[in-house]
Amino acid sequence: MADGAGVVTLERDGEIGIVTVDSPPVNALSAAVRDGIAGRIREASADDGIRAIVLLCAGRTFIAGADISEFGKPPKGTPLNLMIDTIESAPKPVVAAIHGTALGGGLETALGAHYRVAVPSAKVGLPEVKLGLIPGAGGTQRLPRVVGAKRALEMITSGEQVPARAAQESGLIDAIVEEGKLREGAVAFARTVVAEARPLRKVRDLTDKIEAAKAEPGLFDAFRQANARKFRGFEAPEGCIKAIEAAMTLPFDEGLRAERAIFEPLMAGTQSKAQRYVFFAEREARKVPDLPDSTPTLPVESVGIVGAGTMGGGIAMNFLNAGIPVTIVEAKKENLERGLATIRKNYEATAAKGRLKPADVETRMNLLTGSLEMADLGRQDLVIEAIFENMELKKETFAKLDQVAKPGAILASNTSYLNVDEIAAATGRPESVIGMHFFSPANVMRLLEVVRAEKASKEVVATAMKLGPKIGKLAVLVGVCHGFVGNRMLAERQREANRLVEEGAMPWDVDRVLYEFGLPMGPFAMSDLAGLDIGWSRETSKGETLREKLCEMDRRGQKTGAGFYDYDASRTAKPSELVERLVLDHSKAKGIERRAFTDEQILERLIFPMINEGAKILEEGKALRASDIDMVWITGYGWPVYRGGPMFYADTVGARTVLARMEEWESEIGPEFKPSELLRRKAASGEQFTGAA
Ligand code: 3HC
């Protein structure tokens, strides 16, 4: 219906008009919803029998924002700003009644109302920054008028969801009403407003918080400085700050125009396109074509872990945080004790930073049991093996688990590279075996690669996929191949990073290029952090690679004060003259004539082979879709979300460009650059991998 009457209705409860939005799943502000709200508010305004209006939503939530799926398409229907203006200019009080989440355009709509009430479980926020945008319907102008500039800066640049009570304390919510009784509470509130003849409080006219902020002129620059690291590379946060600054200096309508002038280029830009793509990619990753939502899952109420090392401990913490008891088994007593102590130390460090209550440290530790006996893994619903990366050891462990684990228990390997089918074959129940690959630090990184072993049952795979969100992870389904999706592509980048250093770049050039691209650090800084001697021993060292040479010199990374870089007492990295000489000698010894590389050449050599490998992964069906590969890189390796992941990035540079480079390197350097068939097809057809760039 053109006037949105199908999704927004008006009814009367005595003198109160009730406008209800009913547009599942999340009442997003589609053209029909915008038309409907503006239309019903106008009708209620014209109805002499109505003295106040309540704006309410049906279903699970208040309006969750603009309809993101309409972005980038030609505008239709009532513009959002006009709809909000219709609410604010209504001649009688409008009360927004909030449950679920009032987000983005949803909160902006509520800010157009004269009053806001909410149930205690409701949350409000302006998350546009997470989509590479600023609030574009008055949020940057109205919010600071209600909560002040400082709080508005925090809320708008973080996109945080603020619980109703905290929102009430900052003035954003006028009253909290009883849970489950929003309609009654909001109507009662509206009646009081009428009975007390309270004024039409238009947020646009509020000035006291603006005046208060004007007395603190250094506020904005101090905020920029304090958050420089967090905002690095992103365009939207600076846009948010500028728009709020405009609210301090400009009359309201001019402020709205300034907001629009910042919003529009962001909306048209690549960063926002990438971030909107990631929003949908994340939701898409949960969907597995042959595992519909109705697929039965197995209960996971207790977990066993084999191995109390860094990975095992980190994995355990995820389950403890979710209130799931964990039994962790180690072979040696001292290793078990060290592992348990590390978990406690991590929790205590979090508590010391105020991010966990001291009592919660104990609650979590009480859910943890250490053991030296595999036999103690007979009762758990899920057992995860997190031992040394060695096929024979893993097979032995799974054969033992097969003997002790209860029938139907899921047996998962946290292997980073190895063949999970082969591991499964060491048991008599391959249908219960899968890979659950966590990323280091396992209690922090969001990614969980669920490796679908050939014989794993649908129930087992569906259970692992559903378990992801319960333990705060994004589960991405991948197939069995060396290194799965993430590490398989990483190996390409690592090979080229090493080769670039042999051919003419310095380690810090390579690291700088990736850092400037937006990654948290480059491969050499990463090696120094992790320790160069992982998997190295003096007895077996051949002294051939740079890494081996550095280890032999006892430059083993940050822990020894030197590695690829020199480190001072505060662990600040500095390029090393010694390493520079070592690199030059290394190239000479290999008979390589060094040459200069531009930053662009370095970037292409590091990233294009990853894209080519991603295309092979798709071709072989080891990932379900290009966007899953992108989610792996964003949540597991810190790929900058504003670049959308390697496959989205490929679409921004074009498959043709990537192909041309791969062909060049294939003929100049070697067959490892052989372009994938899929890359060739995309280049020929001009089609994208993601269809979103
Ligand atoms: N537009 C279009 N579709 C949306 C949407 C939106 N704003 N928000 C959610 N959806 C869709 C999801 O894609 C998903 O679809 P699917 O079932 O087909 O995959 C469905 O609604 C349910 O969403 P979730 O799976 O995320 O459900 P949850 O219950 O986990 O979360 C939520 C609900 C907290 C509302 C979450 O969906 C969310 O954070 N949404 C985005 C909120 C947002 O960013 N709003 C700002 C939009 S930009 C804006 O308003 C610009 C303005 O300033 C001009």
Side-chain angles (χ1 to χ4, degrees):
M1 253 172 268
D3 69 349
V7 285
V8 187
T9 52
L10 169 64
E11 62 185 302
R12 275 183 57 179
D13 182 342
E15 292 180 323
I16 308 300
I18 299 178
V19 174
T20 307
V21 182
D22 188 0
S23 181
V26 294
N27 293 311
L29 289 157
S30 62
V33 170
R34 296 194 304 273
D35 288 345
I37 294 179
R40 297 308 82 71
I41 294 282
R42 273 195 296 269
E43 286 161 25
S45 299
D47 185 336
D48 290 339
I50 291 178
R51 298 192 58 197
I53 303 164
V54 167
L55 175 62
L56 191 73
C57 288
R60 67 206 241 204
T61 179
F62 192 77
I63 300 161
D67 187 339
I68 306 170
S69 61
E70 278 184 4
F71 288 1
K73 296 184 185 150
K76 280 193 307 189
T78 310
L80 186 52
N81 264 324
L82 183 61
M83 182 204 91
I84 294 172
D85 186 52
T86 307
I87 297 173
E88 198 169 44
S89 312
K92 43 193 92 168
V94 181
V95 178
I98 302 171
H99 75 297
T101 43
L103 299 178
L107 180 56
E108 291 174 302
T109 301
L111 281 165
H114 307 110
Y115 297 96
R116 287 158 292 283
V117 301
V119 290
S121 62
K123 289 185 178 155
V124 299
L126 292 173
E128 287 84 346
V129 74
K130 295 185 181 166
L131 301 172
L133 297 170
I134 67 167
T140 63
Q141 305 304 298
R142 287 193 179 88
L143 190 67
R145 284 175 160 80
V146 177
V147 302
K150 185 159 179 289
R151 188 72 193 105
L153 279 169
E154 289 162 1
M155 277 182 68
I156 295 176
T157 59
S158 71
E160 69 182 300
Q161 293 186 10
V162 182
R165 290 210 192 276
Q168 186 187 25
E169 276 162 31
S170 65
L172 189 45
I173 299 289
D174 298 293
I176 304 278
V177 304
E178 196 183 328
E179 197 72 52
K181 298 216 168 133
L182 179 60
R183 181 180 164 132
E184 297 89 319
V187 168
F189 184 89
R191 290 210 166 101
T192 311
V193 170
V194 172
E196 293 177 0
R198 287 201 210 166
L200 287 183
R201 205 184 49 192
K202 296 185 187 182
V203 171
R204 58 181 289 144
D205 295 336
L206 303 178
T207 53
D208 54 331
K209 298 268 166 75
I210 303 276
E211 292 311 319
K214 278 185 182 159
E216 242 189 299
L219 178 74
F220 290 89
D221 281 337
F223 188 79
R224 280 188 177 94
Q225 257 172 27
N227 291 284
R229 231 181 112 124
K230 196 166 122 205
F231 299 158
R232 181 176 78 90
F234 287 90
E235 289 164 2
E238 177 57 23
C240 296
I241 298 172
K242 284 217 169 85
I244 301 168
E245 268 179 320
M248 299 298 115
T249 51
L250 299 176
F252 183 79
D253 287 320
E254 274 181 51
L256 276 189
R257 282 195 286 279
E259 179 187 83
R260 187 110 304 251
I262 299 170
F263 179 85
E264 276 171 359
L266 286 173
M267 173 70 109
T270 306
Q271 289 206 351
S272 175
K273 228 181 251 176
Q275 288 177 255
R276 271 141 44 201
Y277 156 77
V278 170
F279 175 85
F280 288 112
E282 186 171 336
R283 281 149 184 86
E284 199 63 19
R286 300 178 200 148
K287 298 169 191 160
V288 180
D290 71 329
L291 300 176
D293 251 359
S294 56
T295 312
T297 54
L298 304 162
V300 178
E301 278 154 21
S302 56
V303 170
I305 294 177
V306 187
T310 315
M311 271 325 266
I315 294 170
M317 289 174 76
N318 293 305
F319 291 97
L320 300 174
N321 297 347
I324 300 174
V326 174
T327 302
I328 195 160
V329 172
E330 243 309 334
K332 282 198 192 132
K333 190 160 181 275
E334 73 243 39
N335 291 352
L336 178 64
E337 280 168 4
R338 195 182 321 125
L340 298 179
T342 306
I343 296 178
R344 175 175 281 283
K345 212 171 74 200
N346 285 342
Y347 278 136
E348 283 172 352
T350 311
K353 286 183 204 142
R355 287 199 251 122
L356 191 67
K357 289 192 206 118
D360 290 342
V361 176
E362 297 315 317
T363 315
R364 287 168 202 207
M365 289 308 292
N366 287 341
L367 289 171
L368 180 63
T369 311
S371 164
L372 297 169
E373 301 297 333
M374 287 288 268
D376 285 334
L377 297 178
R379 294 181 315 275
Q380 291 76 7
D381 298 319
L382 162 69
V383 182
I384 303 174
E385 161 277 308
I387 60 167
F388 195 62
E389 198 71 343
N390 172 298
M391 182 54 98
E392 286 319 305
L393 276 181
K394 301 236 181 214
K395 281 187 183 168
E396 257 174 48
T397 305
F398 272 78
K400 272 190 215 143
L401 283 177
D402 193 16
Q403 284 165 14
V404 299
K406 69 177 183 186
I410 300 176
L411 307 181
S413 173
N414 176 52
T415 177
S416 324
Y417 291 95
L418 300 175
N419 186 327
V420 184
D421 292 332
E422 202 179 326
I423 295 174
T427 73
R429 42 171 133 173
E431 69 285 356
S432 296
V433 179
I434 47 159
M436 283 177 75
H437 181 209
F438 291 82
F439 286 70
S440 186
N443 53 323
V444 177
M445 298 309 284
R446 264 190 79 208
L447 178 62
L448 170 63
E449 280 183 335
V450 173
V451 189
R452 188 169 196 167
E454 197 190 347
K455 297 201 172 137
S457 74
K458 286 190 175 180
E459 286 82 350
V460 165
V461 181
T463 304
M465 291 298 290
K466 289 257 162 75
L467 195 55
K470 285 189 196 142
I471 55 168
K473 301 286 169 203
L474 179 78
V476 178
L477 193 67
V478 301
V480 175
C481 57
H482 190 72
F484 318 120
V485 168
N487 282 343
R488 179 168 162 185
M489 289 166 71
L490 181 70
E492 294 292 303
R493 193 186 82 180
Q494 189 61 49
R495 185 192 66 223
E496 292 317 307
N498 292 338
R499 214 141 53 176
L500 279 165
V501 170
E502 288 181 352
E503 289 177 19
M506 282 293 155
W508 33 93
D509 296 327
V510 171
D511 283 351
R512 177 180 44 77
V513 167
L514 286 177
Y515 181 78
E516 285 170 5
F517 183 73
L519 281 139
M521 63 176 80
F524 299 104
M526 178 56 101
S527 300
D528 273 1
L529 179 66
L532 299 186
D533 54 357
I534 296 177
W536 176 88
S537 74
R538 197 172 282 283
E539 298 71 44
T540 54
S541 179
K542 295 200 184 93
E544 280 172 2
T545 64
L546 274 172
R547 186 174 75 98
E548 286 172 333
K549 287 178 186 169
L550 288 168
C551 283
E552 288 177 10
M553 297 163 80
D554 269 336
R555 295 181 65 103
R556 300 189 187 187
Q558 285 197 17
K559 61 185 174 188
T560 56
F564 284 102
Y565 294 83
D566 291 334
Y567 293 89
D568 62 18
S570 61
R571 294 207 166 183
T572 306
K574 221 176 65 198
S576 153
E577 281 173 26
L578 183 146
V579 171
E580 188 162 344
R581 279 197 305 278
L582 195 71
V583 166
L584 298 179
D585 291 347
H586 181 75
S587 302
K588 204 167 177 187
K590 289 192 93 175
I592 299 168
E593 196 172 323
R594 294 178 64 84
R595 61 195 164 99
F597 288 98
T598 64
D599 286 1
E600 195 189 350
Q601 285 171 325
I602 292 178
L603 190 69
E604 290 184 346
R605 266 288 284 282
L606 294 169
I607 291 188
F608 288 4
M610 286 173 59
I611 293 168
N612 190 43
E613 199 63 28
K616 288 185 194 164
I617 286 170
L618 283 174
E619 227 166 49
E620 295 166 21
K622 303 298 181 190
L624 284 171
R625 36 184 103 82
S627 62
D628 281 6
I629 296 180
D630 287 338
M631 289 319 300
V632 163
W633 272 83
I634 288 169
T635 55
Y637 299 84
W639 181 283
V641 59
Y642 57 81
R643 293 198 196 270
M647 304 318 282
F648 180 93
Y649 182 70
D651 288 339
T652 64
V653 293
R656 241 169 251 160
T657 307
V658 180
L659 176 66
R661 233 29 111 245
M662 295 303 294
E663 286 177 336
E664 207 178 291
W665 296 326
E666 186 190 15
S667 66
E668 280 172 15
I669 310 174
E672 59 276 32
F673 294 98
K674 187 173 187 307
S676 88
E677 277 314 307
L678 183 63
L679 179 65
R680 282 190 192 287
R681 282 206 303 278
K682 296 286 182 197
S685 67
E687 258 178 49
Q688 298 192 342
F689 287 105
T690 66

